[in-house]
Amino acid sequence: MSGIHELMEKLDECDNATCFLQISNKIINTELKKLLPNVFVQDKLVMEYAVDPLFKEGGPLVATDVMAKLVFAMGKVSLETYSDIGLYAQMLEYAIAQPEKVSYGDDMVFDFISNQAILSTQQDSFYIESINQLKFSSFETFSQMRYESLIKTVLKLSCEMLLEKIEREINS
């Protein structure tokens, strides 16, 4: 089983949004590291002496934001995909800065989901609509636990959709 699949399974074990964001950002970083070498000249010598050192510990391409900027600058990912990668990083920074773990029910998590380009397309906007219906309905009908479960599910779907989009755009 690949490292990404193992990390995706760990998302299910997260009982708060802070944990989820830490793992999902690691998944995005791992996916970019896996795909980024594909954009360089596929020569053994080039890969060994020029590309591989860029990804080694302490190398310039170990940080998600640097990799995202590079693939965006090279025209390999769209502005929307680049923005969503950055949004994940920003939300993680926010969560880590909080004195307590951020819950799935936190309003910032709702805002994070609402601002993702991957979820705002016509075909995928029903995820946001479902959350809106639950968020603004009477919790006599829907429990907080159900709402947070839906948030967690949508977060996982958005992460999976972002990974698929990154792979599709870089490999096209």
Side-chain angles (χ1 to χ4, degrees), residues 12-52:
D12 292 328
E13 299 169 12
C14 290
D15 59 354
N16 59 67
T18 302
C19 171
F20 185 95
L21 290 163
Q22 289 170 322
I23 294 173
S24 60
N25 273 276
K26 187 172 185 175
I27 292 169
I28 292 167
N29 182 279
T30 302
E31 183 73 1
L32 286 169
K33 279 183 188 170
K34 179 185 94 179
L35 296 171
L36 193 56
N38 297 342
V39 304
F40 297 108
V41 174
Q42 298 300 304
D43 177 90
K44 186 177 179 180
L45 187 67
V46 170
M47 295 304 283
E48 183 178 344
Y49 292 104
V51 177
D52 291 345

Side-chain angles (χ1 to χ4, degrees), residues 45-71:
L45 187 67
V46 170
M47 295 304 283
E48 183 178 344
Y49 292 104
V51 177
D52 291 345
L54 297 172
F55 292 98
K56 290 192 175 169
E57 189 68 33
L61 295 181
V62 296
T64 303
D65 65 326
V66 175
M67 289 187 284
K69 286 176 186 170
L70 180 61
V71 291

Side-chain angles (χ1 to χ4, degrees), residues 122-136:
Q122 292 257 350
Q123 65 188 30
D124 297 316
S125 65
F126 68 90
Y127 295 120
I128 294 174
E129 291 168 16
S130 297
I131 291 170
N132 273 329
Q133 288 176 357
L134 213 57
K135 180 176 178 62
F136 298 110

Side-chain angles (χ1 to χ4, degrees), residues 9 14-15 21 35 41 50 54 57 69 84 92-94 101 106 124 130-133 143 145 150 152 154 166-167 169:
E9 287 180 5
C14 290
D15 59 354
L21 290 163
L35 296 171
V41 174
L54 297 172
E57 189 68 33
K69 286 176 186 170
D84 279 351
L92 176 60
E93 285 178 28
Y94 165 80
K101 304 276 186 202
D106 190 285
D124 297 316
S130 297
I131 291 170
N132 273 329
Q133 288 176 357
S143 70
M145 201 163 122
L150 177 60
K152 184 176 179 180
V154 172
I166 291 168
E167 182 173 9
E169 289 180 357

